[in-house]
C-alpha cells in the first residue's frame, strides 16, 4: 500500500460514475432485486411507496412537506436537496447536531423549523404534527407499532424506516429520493458510499493481528454503553480495517470498567452525543488509563460535520476514511482536509471555510486526542 495516497475520493467517484453510466442496464437489473419494486403508480396517478416494513404508502399529491423523527433523517434530506426545501419539522436532536456542527451555519433557516413534533422515546406529538399539515412523516419502523399507529389514526402518511445496516441506509436514500423526485442525485450519493467502501478493501484484507482492537462507546459520562455487532458502528469499524472488541454482544449494551479493561482496546471511540465529552474522560480515569488506547493516546471523539459521524448519515464515507486514517496511520495517510472539502461540496453544495470549518478540521487532525507521535 502506498504511504501517501494521491488519488482523491472525488476522482474515484467520477470514474465509477462514468463506468456506471455505460452499465446502467446491468445496474438497474441488480437494483430491481432489492428496491426498485418499491415505487409504482396507483389509481388516478397516485404514487404508492413501499416502506422498510413493506407497507404500501399511497400518496395522492406531490410530497412537499416532510416531518422527520429519526435523528439522521433531516440532514440526509437536506443533503439530497442541497437545501431546506421539503423538510418542515424535525427531532430536536437533529437541530442540536446542526447547531454544534456545520449544517446550521450553512442553512440558518433550520432554526425556524418546529422541533416539538416528538417526545422521549421517539413518541410522536400528533397535535403538533397536525398543525404542520405534512404530506409525509418519517418515523422509526423497528421500535414498535406505538410509534406509528397514533399518526396513522389521524390520517397521516407514515414512512417507516429501520436502523442498523449500510443496506438500510442506502434504502433510506432511495426512499427519500423517490419521494422528492431526486433519484439520480441519490444514485450519485450511493456511488460515493460504494466507492469509499471499495477503496478501503485493502485494509479489511489485512491479517486480523494487524487490525487494531476498537471500542465505540455510545454513552460514557452517563454510564458506559458499548456498540456490539448488528450496529452501524460495528460496520464502520470493520469497514475501516478495525476489529470491534464487542462482538459477543448485540446492539447497544451497558458495560463496566472491568469489561473494558479485559477487552483492552487499542482505540476507543467516544460518541458525539454527550456534550463536553473529551478523550481526557478516558485517559485520566484511574483504571481506564491502563488500557492500551489510553497509554498510546488513541482515544477520539467522533466528529460532527454537517451531522454526527457515529450514526449512519450522508457523511458516513468521510467517517470511514477518518477512522481508517486513525486505525492505520502508518500506512494509510490521507489528506482529510482535501477529502472532506471535496465531499462536503458534493453532499451539501457548500465550501468549508471560516472559523467553524477551521475548528472542524482541527477535530479531524486528532488534536482532540492530544495525540503526539
Amino acid at each position: 500500500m502506498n504511504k501517501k495516497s494521491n488519488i482523491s475520493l472525488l476522482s474515484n467517484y467520477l470514474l465509477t460514475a462514468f463506468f456506471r453510466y455505460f452499465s446502467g442496464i446491468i445496474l438497474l437489473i441488480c437494483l430491481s432485486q432489492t428496491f426498485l419494486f418499491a415505487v409504482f403508480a396507483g389509481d388516478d396517478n397516485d404514487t404508492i411507496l413501499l416502506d422498510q416494513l413493506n407497507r404500501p404508502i399511497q400518496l395522492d399529491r406531490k410530497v412537499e412537506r416532510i416531518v422527520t423523527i429519526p435523528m439522521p433523517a433531516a440532514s440526509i434530506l437536506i443533503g439530497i436537496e442541497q437545501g431546506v426545501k421539503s423538510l418542515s419539522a424535525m427531532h430536536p436532536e437533529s437541530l442540536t447536531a446542526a447547531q454544534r456542527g456545520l449544517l446550521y451555519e450553512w442553512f440558518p433557516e433550520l432554526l425556524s423549523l418546529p422541533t416539538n413534533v416528538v417526545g422521549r422515546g421517539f413518541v410522536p406529538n400528533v397535535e403538533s404534527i397536525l398543525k404542520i399539515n405534512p404530506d409525509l412523516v418519517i418515523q422509526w419502523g423497528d421500535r414498535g407499532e406505538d410509534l406509528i399507529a397514533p399518526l396513522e389514526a389521524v390520517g397521516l402518511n407514515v414512512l417507516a424506516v429501520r436502523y442498523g445496516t449500510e443496506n438500510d441506509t442506502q434504502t433510506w436514500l432511495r426512499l427519500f429520493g423517490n419521494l422528492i423526485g431526486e433519484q439520480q442525485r441519490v444514485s450519485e450519493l450511493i456511488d460515493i458510499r460504494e466507492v469509499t467502501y471499495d477503496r478501503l478493501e485493502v485494509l479489511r484484507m489485512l491479517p486480523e493481528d494487524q487490525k487494531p482492537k476498537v471500542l465505540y462507546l455510545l454513552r460514557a459520562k452517563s454510564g458506559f454503553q458499548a456498540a456490539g455487532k448488528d450496529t452501524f458502528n460495528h460496520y464502520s469499524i470493520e469497514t475501516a480495517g478495525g476489529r470491534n472488541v464487542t462482538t459477543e454482544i448485540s446492539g447497544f449494551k451497558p458495560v463496566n470498567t472491568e469489561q473494558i479493561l479485559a477487552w483492552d482496546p487499542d482505540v476507543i471511540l467516544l460518541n458525539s452525543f454527550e456534550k463536553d465529552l473529551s478523550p481526557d474522560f478516558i485517559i485520566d480515569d484511574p483504571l481506564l488509563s491502563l488500557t492500551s488506547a489510553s497509554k498510546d493516546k488513541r482515544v477520539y471523539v467522533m466528529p460532527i460535520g454537517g451531522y454526527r459521524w457515529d450514526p449512519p448519515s450522508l457523511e458516513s464515507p468521510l467517517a470511514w476514511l477518518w477512522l481508517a486514517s486513525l486505525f492505520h496511520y502508518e500506512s494509510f495517510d490521507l489528506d482529510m482536509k482535501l477529502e472532506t472539502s471535496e465531499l462536503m461540496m458534493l453532499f451539501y453544495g457548500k465550501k468549508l471555510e471560516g472559523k467553524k470549518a477551521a475548528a472542524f478540521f482541527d477535530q479531524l487532525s486528532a488534536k482532540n486526542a492530544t495525540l503526539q507521535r
Side-chain angles (χ1 to χ4, degrees):
M1 190 191 318
N2 292 332
K3 186 172 179 63
K4 298 289 184 181
S5 175
N6 295 319
I7 302 176
S8 72
L9 181 57
L10 179 58
S11 299
N12 277 331
Y13 160 69
L14 291 174
L15 287 171
T16 301
F18 179 80
F19 169 78
R20 289 185 177 179
Y21 175 80
F22 288 102
S23 58
I25 293 177
I26 296 175
L27 180 65
L28 286 174
I29 291 172
C30 294
L31 288 175
S32 68
Q33 302 303 310
T34 59
F35 188 78
L36 291 185
F37 66 88
V39 181
F40 50 93
D43 296 336
D44 302 322
N45 294 320
D46 289 356
T47 297
I48 299 177
L49 189 72
L50 293 182
D51 65 15
Q52 285 190 285
L53 297 183
N54 266 351
R55 306 173 325 131
I57 311 300
Q58 186 164 346
L59 303 169
D60 57 5
R61 61 186 183 272
K62 183 179 179 181
V63 175
E64 296 179 334
R65 298 177 61 78
I66 299 175
V67 171
T68 60
I69 292 179
M71 296 178 197
S75 63
I76 291 175
L77 193 60
I78 290 170
I80 293 174
E81 297 185 295
Q82 293 198 333
V84 182
K85 300 174 183 178
S86 299
L87 182 65
S88 299
M90 60 187 161
H91 194 290
E93 282 296 325
S94 299
L95 179 60
T96 297
Q99 290 174 314
R100 288 181 58 190
L102 297 162
L103 208 61
Y104 172 69
E105 186 168 287
W106 290 335
F107 304 105
E109 60 268 36
L110 281 169
L111 194 59
S112 66
L113 297 184
T115 59
N116 63 340
V117 293
V118 57
R120 291 179 63 86
F122 300 99
V123 175
N125 184 334
V126 177
E127 184 178 353
S128 295
I129 293 172
L130 284 173
K131 291 178 181 177
I132 297 166
N133 190 30
D135 300 311
L136 187 81
V137 179
I138 299 173
Q139 174 62 298
W140 289 119
D142 53 2
R143 305 189 181 207
E145 181 63 22
D146 290 346
L147 300 186
I148 297 174
L151 296 165
E152 293 187 324
V154 295
L156 292 168
N157 291 314
V158 182
L159 183 76
V161 296
R162 291 196 306 255
Y163 167 86
T165 68
E166 171 62 7
N167 183 63
D168 288 330
T169 309
Q170 291 193 20
T171 300
W172 284 32
L173 289 168
R174 293 192 181 101
L175 282 167
F176 296 1
N178 282 319
L179 280 172
I180 57 180
E182 291 285 358
Q183 292 90 338
Q184 180 57 40
R185 165 76 174 147
V186 162
S187 178
E188 294 168 355
L189 292 170
I190 291 174
D191 281 347
I192 294 172
R193 303 179 80 87
E194 295 182 347
V195 166
T196 306
Y197 182 85
D198 292 344
R199 183 180 179 185
L200 298 173
E201 183 176 4
V202 65
L203 301 179
R204 294 191 295 276
M205 293 177 64
L206 290 171
E208 289 299 295
D209 61 1
Q210 293 183 31
K211 299 176 182 178
K213 296 183 297 180
V214 184
L215 170 66
Y216 169 80
L217 293 173
L218 178 66
R219 293 293 181 267
K221 295 171 71 174
S222 55
F224 296 121
Q225 194 173 55
K229 60 185 179 180
D230 304 325
T231 66
F232 192 79
N233 309 96
H234 171 86
Y235 178 85
S236 294
I237 290 168
E238 301 270 319
T239 294
R243 285 185 291 155
N244 187 11
V245 298
T246 64
T247 53
E248 71 268 27
I249 65 177
S250 296
F252 299 102
K253 294 290 190 300
V255 296
N256 56 35
T257 299
E258 289 72 22
Q259 180 62 72
I260 296 174
L261 289 172
W263 283 324
D264 190 25
D266 301 307
V267 177
I268 295 177
L269 304 173
L270 300 176
N271 69 84
S272 64
F273 293 90
E274 293 179 295
K275 191 175 181 181
D276 298 325
L277 179 61
S278 77
D280 291 340
F281 185 82
I282 300 294
I283 295 171
D284 293 342
D285 183 271
L287 292 176
L288 294 178
S289 62
L290 301 175
T291 60
S292 295
S294 291
K295 291 176 182 177
D296 294 335
K297 301 295 192 293
R298 299 183 74 184
V299 182
Y300 309 92
V301 176
M302 294 298 294
I304 304 178
Y307 188 67
R308 305 178 191 277
W309 281 16
D310 16 2
S313 73
L314 274 191
E315 298 162 60
S316 296
L318 282 170
W320 302 336
L321 288 172
W322 182 70
L323 290 174
S325 71
L326 299 180
F327 297 167
H328 301 280
Y329 59 89
E330 292 181 336
S331 58
F332 197 76
D333 193 12
L334 294 175
D335 185 342
M336 278 304 299
K337 186 172 184 178
L338 174 63
E339 304 275 359
T340 306
S341 296
E342 287 179 338
L343 281 182
M344 286 299 196
M345 176 59 71
L346 284 173
F347 293 150
Y348 300 109
K350 299 294 183 180
K351 291 183 178 180
L352 283 167
E353 53 190 11
K355 292 182 178 180
K356 201 153 193 178
F360 173 61
F361 285 134
D362 280 346
Q363 263 191 301
L364 303 185
S365 72
K367 290 179 182 177
N368 65 335
T370 61
L371 183 59
Q372 302 293 330
R373 301 205 190 281

